[in-house]
Amino acid sequence: MSLGWISRVSALFAVTYLPSVLAFQPSADYGQYKADNLYNCSGAYPTSPLSVTNSADTLPQIQPLSSEGWEHWEFFLHGTFPIILRWSQGDQSQADATPANGKIEIAILDVNGTNVETTVTGPLTYKDGDVNQVCIGDNTFQWDSDSLWYNLTLSADGYTMVLNTYSAILDTYHPNVGGYNGLLSSQDGPALYGSVPVTRGQSIGYLTTPDKQNISLSGLVLMKHMFSEQALPSYVTKLSSAMIWGYSTLYYDSHLFYQVEQPGLTVHEAAYLSRAIAGSPDKSKFPSTWTTYAASDDLSSLTLVIDPIGGTIQSTLPGCSVTNNAAYLFSVSVGSVIAEFTDLGGGKTTYYNLAQGFTLAPYNGSVVNGTIAGMYQVYEAPA
């Protein structure tokens, strides 16, 4: 299997200036300069100034009435069914797509033996306040001003979905390439921005089928947000990311990474790791959470190796004296295709299941072996 991606390369560039790009939402964190990466393998701090929540960051940063630009909000559910929902405005592969043209791409695997793949289109609108909301037609997702709850309602082809998600880790994640909050690409051109408002969400809800069967939904949710005022192919040729949950009876680690390839083999990498500790006496709940790493283009905090031939990924984040210098290791094999979404401009995003793997992670001075779950995705620009 070929993932159409590259093994690890890294290129670091001196900070020059922030790209001249769109006007962000008032009070949003994007574009602020904060060069530091978070290196906190001990988990000594419940929250980090590098990964604080901000409900304004999830609002559309590309105004629907703009003449150009695109934006994605992606939901991935690991639980009752693998579910991918990609809300978007504009088109990431086509420069002249109008942002006001909204679309929801839907993939739900193995619903009574059927894979549901469909698309909803309509005008995108939004509102902000105590309850923030993005709408495409009659479909909505909402979140509160504290970024604790993300509630989604969706109807398409006779299916109705309600998904209510509690953000179990009260941090978000902003890559900061070149030191600029949310930046994923180099500073000397069009800017690709992103954040992960929900790194580990606990979700419940239901799915109603066309024959009126009501199926309860539950699981873990990741939500990602990404946008740019220009189409990707002009400055990003490939973009991959992964969400890996590593867990045992003692802890639940949430690890995600980005790898961005630009023309000329410039590659940027960004990663996040957080940990939740099992509760007492109920070890099925994980009430204690903290961010462990939040890093961009930092060789001291992330070693990422993607093998496109063997279909394997290894990601290592270093330990420290508190962990007896034991590192955090995630080793996974990329499995079958969950879904493929093709843009109007010809770019393709492929989502893969993480079929096999393990995590080795420090816990109370020892190394604990855990199992994994998650998803890997690759965007390839049109030829």
Side-chain angles (χ1 to χ4, degrees):
M1 173 184 56
S2 175
L3 305 181
W5 198 234
I6 60 174
S7 60
R8 188 180 197 281
V9 186
S10 184
L12 303 179
F13 292 87
V15 174
T16 53
Y17 59 90
L18 180 66
S20 177
V21 296
L22 47 92
F24 302 115
Q25 288 280 354
S27 75
D29 286 333
Y30 297 111
Q32 297 182 24
Y33 185 76
K34 54 176 189 183
D36 292 339
N37 287 317
L38 172 67
Y39 181 80
N40 179 30
C41 81
S42 66
Y45 308 104
T47 59
S48 161
L50 299 176
S51 53
V52 295
T53 58
N54 184 347
S55 64
D57 289 346
T58 310
L59 290 168
Q61 306 298 316
I62 302 290
Q63 292 300 310
L65 296 180
S66 300
S67 60
E68 59 183 353
W70 61 271
E71 194 155 10
H72 287 169
W73 299 262
E74 291 179 291
F75 297 82
F76 174 70
L77 173 69
H78 169 74
T80 308
F81 310 112
I83 297 175
I84 298 172
L85 307 173
R86 185 167 80 172
W87 295 55
S88 63
Q89 61 169 333
D91 189 279
Q92 67 179 342
S93 299
Q94 184 169 306
D96 59 354
T98 304
N101 294 333
K103 179 168 63 173
I104 308 170
E105 292 155 294
I106 302 163
I108 311 173
L109 270 63
D110 198 20
V111 181
N112 297 330
T114 300
N115 291 339
V116 180
E117 296 185 12
T118 190
T119 299
V120 176
T121 59
L124 183 140
T125 60
Y126 75 95
K127 67 177 183 179
D128 60 347
D130 291 338
V131 176
N132 304 284
Q133 179 174 279
V134 172
C135 300
I136 295 178
D138 295 328
N139 305 286
T140 65
F141 72 86
Q142 301 177 322
W143 65 101
D144 66 303
S145 58
D146 292 324
S147 301
L148 293 177
W149 288 97
Y150 291 79
N151 300 329
L152 180 149
T153 59
L154 177 64
S155 295
D157 289 352
Y159 291 89
T160 299
M161 179 188 298
V162 172
L163 195 62
N164 299 319
T165 298
Y166 175 71
S167 184
I169 293 177
L170 301 182
D171 282 349
T172 188
Y173 172 54
H174 292 80
N176 60 319
V177 169
Y180 292 105
N181 207 25
L183 190 60
L184 275 163
S185 59
S186 295
Q187 301 88 5
D188 54 349
L192 173 64
Y193 282 90
S195 66
V196 186
V198 181
T199 57
R200 179 176 177 266
Q202 307 276 29
S203 296
I204 58 172
Y206 64 85
L207 176 71
T208 302
T209 65
D211 61 2
K212 305 305 180 184
Q213 182 182 2
N214 201 53
I215 303 172
S216 296
L217 299 177
S218 64
L220 293 175
V221 160
L222 166 75
M223 177 189 168
K224 297 194 301 179
H225 182 200
M226 191 176 301
F227 57 93
S228 177
E229 68 174 358
Q230 294 194 29
L232 284 184
S234 63
Y235 66 103
V236 171
T237 54
K238 291 182 181 178
L239 164 65
S240 74
S241 65
M243 177 69 236
I244 307 173
W245 290 291
Y247 54 94
S248 73
T249 57
L250 301 173
Y251 64 83
Y252 220 122
D253 287 347
S254 297
H255 174 46
L256 62 93
F257 66 77
Y258 293 94
Q259 194 177 62
V260 180
E261 182 182 356
Q262 298 182 230
L265 293 181
T266 298
V267 175
H268 297 288
E269 294 178 344
Y272 171 90
L273 174 67
S274 64
R275 167 162 289 187
I277 300 298
S280 178
D282 186 355
K283 293 189 177 297
S284 66
K285 299 184 183 299
F286 293 81
S288 176
T289 62
W290 56 70
T291 300
T292 308
Y293 291 96
S296 299
D297 287 343
D298 187 348
L299 296 176
S300 67
S301 295
L302 173 68
T303 301
L304 179 62
V305 179
I306 300 175
D307 178 0
I309 304 301
T312 60
I313 300 171
Q314 282 203 348
S315 179
T316 306
L317 299 101
C320 57
S321 59
V322 175
T323 68
N324 289 333
N325 296 314
Y328 297 81
L329 169 66
F330 297 84
S331 180
V332 298
S333 295
V334 178
S336 58
V337 173
I338 301 174
E340 289 184 347
F341 298 152
T342 301
D343 304 326
L344 292 174
K348 183 174 70 173
T349 303
T350 305
Y351 300 82
Y352 297 90
N353 178 40
L354 295 181
Q356 298 177 339
F358 64 91
T359 177
L360 294 175
Y363 181 79
N364 275 355
S366 300
V367 176
V368 178
N369 192 319
T371 54
I372 62 94
M375 177 270 298
Y376 175 65
Q377 71 182 86
V378 179
Y379 165 83
E380 295 182 84

